[in-house]
Amino acid sequence: MPDVLRELRAEPSENALPPEFNSTLFGSPDNRISLSARGRLLERYAKITGCPYFGLLVGSRSRLESLGLVGLLAKHSPDVGSALRNLCRHFFLHADGVALHLHVDGGAATLSYRITEPRIPGVDQTGDGAVAAILNVMRDLCGNDFKAIEARFAHGRPKALEPYKKILGVHLEFDAESYGLVFSATWLSRPLPPTEAALARLILDKVAEEERVHARSFPDQVQAVMRTAMTFDHARADRLAKFFDMHVRTFHRRLAEHGVSHQELLDKTRFEAACELLERTSQKLPQIADILGYAELRSFIRAFRRWSGITPSEWRKRRSVV
């Protein structure tokens, strides 16, 4: 962020920081803040600089090494596909409240980014930066000859479109169901430089240690994955069980041990996603129903009424007035 501020001729000063921060924030790359705090910072600096694509500029400076231990694990994977799956599985160690999901459909692969915590400020700024960062991560893994097919954004078309074209250089899709990057699935098989066995073990041991420290309940882990997997019809119990390397019966039993079912988690996740899509995009109701995995629009409307007491259209109208 300080580099982008200087680039925009706005020095990072303590006066520009929100009240809960101080000037030591940018003193070390090891300083950590919450996802919510980061969103507030991005929004604040976008306003101060008059740059509506501030988050995109920040993301364009991110590299694989910016992801710390999780990036190191990806870098020392056998191939690009394994690297991305490691990122998806362990990304919560780098950023809690965020989920990555890799989806392969025929010859196309999509790496999606979604904020799983509700009511996080600066979602558009954060999401824009994530897309730019994903592009850089893919270049770090595949080499500078990497070419993407499409960049996706879960917000409407911005007025300032040229910076997106310049930074990303690919077809842009707005009002998408999630932020992400689409590319040829052939890149997934590209091998990465071999790693010494001792170093690989050291990295895996460190990851396991961090997972113990930052342990989350199994339902929380499932819901984080479910939020993005739902977009690609991967939120079924059997698909999720496969992601967690367990039999579907074991998957259901683990959830039951925490007093929750797969369907209850799915309903909660669908409601949160529906509210986000209704408020932040111009997607029509049939499109939203399809994204959430409903075969019929009336089934979605009935479910939403059960969750909120009103129809999706009524909910969207009330939110637009607020």
Side-chain angles (χ1 to χ4, degrees), residues 297-313:
L297 175 59
R298 59 183 179 182
S299 299
F300 165 55
I301 295 174
R302 188 165 53 247
F304 195 91
R305 191 194 296 272
R306 187 175 71 251
W307 299 328
S308 66
I310 58 177
T311 67
S313 297

Side-chain angles (χ1 to χ4, degrees), residues 200-250:
R201 284 196 301 272
L202 183 63
I203 294 171
L204 289 172
D205 288 346
K206 183 62 177 176
V207 168
E209 178 184 335
E210 287 294 306
E211 286 186 325
R212 287 192 293 271
V213 172
H214 300 283
R216 299 180 298 174
S217 71
F218 186 62
D220 286 345
Q221 294 180 52
V222 171
Q223 190 174 9
V225 175
M226 184 182 282
R227 185 69 184 272
T228 305
M230 182 173 57
T231 303
F232 302 100
D233 194 29
H234 285 184
R236 300 200 314 264
D238 58 334
R239 294 287 187 99
L240 292 170
K242 185 177 181 181
F243 179 88
F244 288 98
D245 296 324
M246 61 181 63
H247 192 279
V248 67
R249 287 196 296 271
T250 304

Side-chain angles (χ1 to χ4, degrees), residues 74-313:
K75 179 181 179 180
H76 292 281
S77 301
D79 53 54
V80 173
S82 300
L84 297 183
R85 284 186 284 272
N86 279 329
L87 280 179
C88 293
R89 183 70 183 270
H90 303 285
F91 198 73
F92 74 94
L93 295 176
H94 173 72
D96 198 17
V98 171
L100 291 180
H101 184 76
L102 178 65
H103 173 68
V104 180
D105 184 10
T110 304
L111 186 59
S112 297
Y113 173 99
R114 187 184 290 276
I115 292 175
T116 58
E117 289 186 17
R119 295 176 294 280
I120 292 293
V123 170
D124 293 348
Q125 293 287 338
T126 301
D128 285 358
V131 175
I134 288 173
L135 178 59
N136 285 341
V137 165
M138 292 303 299
R139 287 171 175 164
D140 286 341
L141 291 172
C142 301
N144 289 330
D145 59 332
F146 171 77
K147 300 294 183 183
I149 298 172
E150 182 178 81
R152 294 178 174 175
F153 301 88
H155 61 67
R157 184 185 181 91
K159 293 180 179 179
L161 194 60
E162 195 58 35
Y164 290 80
K165 294 179 178 179
K166 182 179 179 181
I167 290 173
L168 300 170
V170 297
H171 176 74
L172 306 172
E173 181 189 349
F174 297 98
D175 277 330
E177 57 269 20
S178 63
Y179 295 89
L181 196 69
V182 183
F183 50 91
S184 171
T186 57
W187 292 105
L188 299 176
S189 59
R190 174 166 288 205
L192 298 180
T195 302
E196 293 183 10
L199 177 58
R201 284 196 301 272
L202 183 63
I203 294 171
L204 289 172
D205 288 346
K206 183 62 177 176
V207 168
E209 178 184 335
E210 287 294 306
E211 286 186 325
R212 287 192 293 271
V213 172
H214 300 283
R216 299 180 298 174
S217 71
F218 186 62
D220 286 345
Q221 294 180 52
V222 171
Q223 190 174 9
V225 175
M226 184 182 282
R227 185 69 184 272
T228 305
M230 182 173 57
T231 303
F232 302 100
D233 194 29
H234 285 184
R236 300 200 314 264
D238 58 334
R239 294 287 187 99
L240 292 170
K242 185 177 181 181
F243 179 88
F244 288 98
D245 296 324
M246 61 181 63
H247 192 279
V248 67
R249 287 196 296 271
T250 304
F251 175 80
H252 284 301
R253 186 176 68 249
R254 289 283 303 278
L255 289 177
E257 289 170 356
H258 290 83
V260 68
S261 69
H262 168 263
Q263 188 60 50
E264 288 170 336
L265 277 184
L266 184 58
D267 285 345
K268 179 182 178 183
T269 305
R270 278 174 162 169
F271 179 54
E272 292 174 356
C275 292
E276 180 181 326
L277 289 166
L278 288 167
E279 182 176 357
R280 307 193 68 83
T281 77
S282 58
Q283 296 269 20
K284 303 298 184 184
L285 293 188
Q287 294 172 302
I288 293 176
D290 183 61
I291 290 170
L292 299 179
Y294 287 97
E296 296 180 343
L297 175 59
R298 59 183 179 182
S299 299
F300 165 55
I301 295 174
R302 188 165 53 247
F304 195 91
R305 191 194 296 272
R306 187 175 71 251
W307 299 328
S308 66
I310 58 177
T311 67
S313 297

Side-chain angles (χ1 to χ4, degrees), residues 1 5 16-22 25-26 32-49 54-55 115 117-127:
M1 289 189 198
L5 285 170
L17 288 170
E20 65 266 36
F21 301 106
N22 59 55
L25 176 64
F26 298 122
R32 297 178 66 87
I33 59 175
S34 69
L35 188 66
S36 181
R38 186 177 187 275
R40 288 197 299 276
L41 271 181
L42 288 172
E43 281 192 332
R44 182 70 170 264
Y45 286 141
K47 183 177 181 179
I48 288 175
T49 60
F54 185 85
I115 292 175
E117 289 186 17
R119 295 176 294 280
I120 292 293
V123 170
D124 293 348
Q125 293 287 338
T126 301

